[in-house]
Amino acid sequence: MNEWIRKNRKIIIAAILLLAVVLVFFRLTRADIQTDAATYSFRALHYFDYMDTTVRQTTPFQWYEEGAPFWINLSFHDAPPLAFIIQFVFFKIFGVSTLVTLLPFALAGFGSIVLLYFIGRKLYGETAGLLAAFILAISSYHIWASRVGYLEILVTFFILLTIYLFFVTILTFLF
């Protein structure tokens, strides 16, 4: 079995990635943007940490009437700023649309599948990498998380990227 996988590795990888592209990107803009994805997009549009908040959870922008420090416009008190920066850059490059709103999250989901393949291959061999990538590519939660614009898929991508870079670094220095 391993010999067959080794011979057809490129075809299997291409099939898994094509499946992932179809499941993650097909009709990505079909549904309207709702809840957190809409809030994150609004905040990323102008990179500004202020929504109509209540007294119970104010933002740093509301804390100063005059003489606000320079970092106020860079502050995001309740969510990771990297997600807003990524969306902000996508909006500046591609314009504002539903597709551009969801594109960073879909790309992070696709990238997570690729990274999981490399991690599995590096740790346990080609078969394990292909199996891990395939299972993640068809995982309903992963597909959903890649399509709705929540922060979790970006966190997953960056965790997998960190793990992959860790193993690459360790194996480079040890061997």
Side-chain angles (χ1 to χ4, degrees):
M1 183 71 169
N2 284 339
E3 185 62 33
W4 182 85
I5 290 174
R6 194 171 8 265
K7 285 182 182 178
N8 297 306
R9 178 177 71 92
K10 291 181 181 178
I11 295 170
I12 296 169
I13 293 169
I16 291 170
L17 294 180
L18 180 64
L19 177 66
V21 165
V22 169
L23 293 175
V24 171
F25 291 97
F26 179 69
R27 296 180 71 179
L28 184 61
T29 60
R30 180 175 174 236
D32 290 335
I33 299 171
Q34 300 175 13
T35 62
D36 289 355
T39 302
Y40 300 150
S41 298
F42 176 78
R43 292 172 69 183
L45 275 171
H46 298 290
Y47 198 76
F48 191 59
D49 184 22
Y50 179 77
M51 293 290 287
D52 188 24
T53 57
T54 64
V55 177
R56 294 174 48 202
Q57 183 179 1
T58 60
T59 67
F61 183 76
Q62 296 169 291
W63 299 344
Y64 301 94
E65 290 182 22
E66 291 182 22
F70 73 94
W71 57 265
I72 288 297
N73 290 331
L74 302 176
S75 169
F76 281 92
H77 71 292
D78 62 342
L82 182 59
F84 297 119
I85 292 170
I86 291 170
Q87 269 197 303
F88 178 79
V89 168
F90 270 70
F91 286 140
K92 288 296 180 188
I93 293 172
F94 301 113
V96 178
S97 70
T98 304
L99 177 63
V100 177
T101 296
L102 299 174
L103 191 58
F105 304 100
L107 290 173
F110 181 77
S112 297
I113 295 166
V114 173
L115 284 169
L116 191 61
Y117 163 72
F118 285 122
I119 292 168
R121 186 179 81 173
K122 192 160 283 296
L123 290 178
Y124 301 108
E126 188 70 34
T127 305
L130 291 170
L131 184 61
F134 175 71
I135 290 171
L136 189 61
I138 62 170
S139 167
S140 61
Y141 179 76
H142 180 77
I143 295 165
W144 173 81
S146 300
R147 296 175 58 88
V148 295
Y150 289 162
L151 300 177
E152 286 80 0
I153 198 64
L154 291 174
V155 171
T156 302
F157 172 78
F158 284 112
I159 288 171
L160 288 171
L161 181 62
T162 303
I163 292 169
Y164 175 73
L165 293 175
F166 173 76
F167 285 123
V168 167
T169 305
I170 292 298
L171 294 177
T172 301
F173 287 117
L174 292 179
F175 300 105

